[in-house]
């Protein structure tokens, strides 16, 4: 059994701590005697109908694991979690299931019961998009991290250029390590974090596009320089010129941005400026927004369950009647598109609106960058 705080190859100075099984046992035990008030909020439990993968069922498996019972059944429970924190919004004690799950998955890996699919879900160091590098200013105090899941670096580069703010990028392949830690490969993830932290040492502000990476760096990594892309854009959106005509859009709260970091208002303000209209809300929104099934490797381990979750969320967003849904997570946007919804990650949507404005009358003049 893995006890105490897990550590990477070196003692990372900013790391607030990555709890092991012994650290989460008391909370997991508390959860396993709770009357499951959160059950309706868990997308995996709802999609699969399996009691063993409710938050309560997962924590029951985790308590058994802390007693030394780590089996294939433990793996089946603890890999049935997207890390969405939906249970946390409904949980009176406010338990943190993703932290319990990370600790348990590390123990499952150690015991040799991890699903083979986790290797592909662990992410990998990625080089920045050529367009981001081409527009970067070496040594600029603001450093932008797109994240390894984004294939839209060209759109992000266009949006950043439109703000007029000089930025730099990390010019070698990097990964923050969050996905590796999520799936139980704790040493790999912490090693990647250590490499990235060393490369960011001169940055004053680190703008992180993927909210999953942002939470890991800011909360788990203890890095106060980290700001999410939507929050950063909200402070610069008055520099952007968007088309005169409004467009009906819906907004999907990414789990790691909303429940993970409490960032709700800023992306709505940015989308409202770009669309010329307040974005529509799905029936479940803000801290009760439903997950798309994209998190913590769940879609790799149970693609059928993840597809049901994505289809459920896509239907909720389609019911708004908006022609396009905007979110701020490349993984969530991809899952919604796979479910048949027109869904765009925020940089892609903003880039399209900027391009549209360039072809016609803009609604507002962009102010000069300072
Ligand atoms: S996550 Fe919270 S509400 Fe859900 S079963 Fe555990 S203690 Fe109860
Ligand atoms: S974090 Fe999400 S998927 Fe995981 S147990 Fe809680 S509600 Fe279910």
């Amino acid at each position: 059994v893995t006890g105490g705080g897990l550590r990477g190859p070196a003692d990372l100075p900013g790391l607030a701590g990555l709890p092991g099984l012994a650290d989460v046992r008391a909370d997991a035990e508390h959860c396993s005697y709770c009357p499951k008030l959160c059950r309706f909020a868990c997308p995996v439990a709802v999609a699969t109908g399996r009691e063993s993968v409710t938050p309560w069922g997962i924590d029951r498996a985790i308590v058994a694991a802390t007693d030394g019972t780590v089996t294939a059944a433990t793996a089946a429970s603890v890999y049935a979690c997207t890390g969405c924190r939906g249970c946390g919004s409904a949980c009176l004690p406010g338990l943190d299931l993703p932290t319990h799950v990370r600790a348990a998955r590390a123990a499952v890996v150690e015991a040799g019961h991890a699903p083979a699919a986790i290797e592909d879900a662990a992410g990998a160091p990625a080089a920045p998009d050529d367009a981001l590098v081409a527009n970067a200013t070496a040594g600029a105090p603001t450093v932008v991290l797109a994240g390894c899941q984004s294939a839209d670096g060209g759109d992000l580069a266009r949006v950043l250029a439109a703000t007029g703010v000089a930025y730099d990028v990390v010019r070698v392949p990097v990964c923050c390590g969050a996905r590796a830690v999520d799936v139980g490969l704790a040493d790999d993830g912490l090693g990647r974090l250590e490499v990235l932290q060393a490369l960011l040492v001169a940055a004053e502000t680190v703008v992180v596009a993927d909210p999953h990476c942002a939470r890991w760096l800011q909360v788990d990594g203890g890095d106060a320089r980290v700001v999410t892309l939507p929050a950063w854009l909200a402070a610069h959106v008055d520099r952007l010129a968007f088309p005169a005509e409004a467009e009906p859009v819906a907004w999907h709260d990414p789990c790691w941005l909303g429940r993970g970091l409490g960032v709700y208002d800023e992306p709505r303000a940015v989308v409202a400026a770009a669309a010329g209209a307040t974005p529509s809300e799905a029936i479940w929104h803000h801290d009760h927004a439903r997950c798309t099934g994209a998190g913590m490797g769940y879609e790799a381990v149970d693609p059928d369950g993840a597809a049901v979750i994505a289809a459920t969320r896509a239907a909720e967003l389609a019911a708004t009647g908006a022609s396009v849904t905007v979110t701020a997570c490349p993984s969530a946007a991809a899952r919604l598109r796979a479910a048949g919804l027109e869904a765009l990650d925020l940089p892609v949507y903003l880039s399209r609106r900027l391009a549209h404005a360039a072809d016609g009358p803009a609604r507002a003049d962009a102010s000069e960058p300072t």
Side-chain angles (χ1 to χ4, degrees):
V1 174
T2 305
L6 299 171
R7 283 291 176 186
D11 202 33
L12 303 177
L15 191 67
L18 188 58
L21 269 182
D23 301 310
V24 305
R25 181 186 168 109
D27 275 357
E29 198 161 30
H30 180 111
C31 179
S32 47
Y33 289 107
C34 171
K36 307 189 228 180
L37 301 177
C38 62
R39 192 196 184 290
F40 77 95
C42 178
V44 179
V46 171
T48 64
R50 292 167 51 207
E51 291 302 306
S52 61
V53 299
T54 60
W56 172 87
I58 292 171
D59 265 342
R60 192 168 60 170
I62 290 174
V63 170
T66 65
D67 291 333
T69 307
V70 181
T71 65
T74 315
S77 285
V78 302
Y79 282 95
C81 174
T82 69
C84 73
R85 299 177 188 278
C87 49
S89 291
C91 173
L92 284 179
L95 297 189
D96 180 356
L97 258 290
T99 295
H100 303 184
V101 164
R102 277 177 173 166
R105 289 181 179 184
V108 168
V109 168
E110 208 173 282
H113 292 298
I118 68 166
E119 296 291 341
D120 289 339
D129 186 279
D130 289 346
L132 280 172
V133 176
N135 290 330
T137 301
T142 297
V143 175
V144 174
L145 286 177
C148 65
Q149 301 298 303
S150 173
D152 307 315
D155 292 299
L156 179 55
R158 175 196 276 266
V159 174
L160 293 169
T163 69
V165 177
Y167 70 89
D168 201 358
V169 292
V170 176
R171 292 158 193 264
V172 296
V174 287
C175 168
C176 71
R179 287 173 197 280
V181 168
D182 282 351
V183 298
L185 303 174
D187 286 348
D188 287 354
L190 291 167
R192 292 176 189 179
L193 175 63
E194 183 186 26
V195 169
L196 180 57
Q197 284 182 329
L199 291 165
L200 291 173
V201 71
E204 292 177 12
T205 302
V206 182
V207 180
V208 182
D210 190 318
H212 184 214
C213 313
R215 190 183 194 281
W216 167 245
L217 293 168
Q218 187 186 92
V219 178
D220 300 283
D223 192 337
R225 300 170 302 169
V226 171
V227 59
T228 65
L229 180 66
W232 187 86
L233 286 171
H236 297 86
V237 74
D238 59 351
R239 299 178 174 190
L240 305 179
F242 293 111
E245 72 272 22
E247 179 181 44
V249 297
W251 170 252
H252 166 73
D253 289 292
C255 302
W256 294 84
L257 184 68
R259 286 182 291 271
L261 287 166
V263 177
Y264 294 109
D265 295 340
E266 295 93 331
R268 286 173 167 79
V270 173
V271 173
T278 302
S280 301
E281 305 283 358
I283 184 170
W284 298 103
H285 56 86
H286 286 82
D287 61 333
H288 292 298
R290 296 292 195 190
C291 178
T292 62
M296 288 187 82
Y298 177 66
E299 71 273 35
V301 174
D302 182 8
D304 293 342
V308 172
I309 292 171
T312 302
R313 184 57 176 165
E316 292 173 2
L317 289 159
T320 66
S323 55
V324 60
T325 291
V326 185
T327 187
C329 170
S331 304
R335 300 242 14 114
L336 292 170
R337 284 196 298 275
L341 191 75
E342 173 69 6
L344 301 174
D345 195 16
L346 185 62
V348 182
Y349 180 68
L350 297 180
S351 174
R352 288 190 186 183
R353 291 295 278 175
L354 291 169
H356 191 44
D359 294 339
R363 191 175 63 253
D365 290 334
S367 56
E368 285 299 312
T370 54

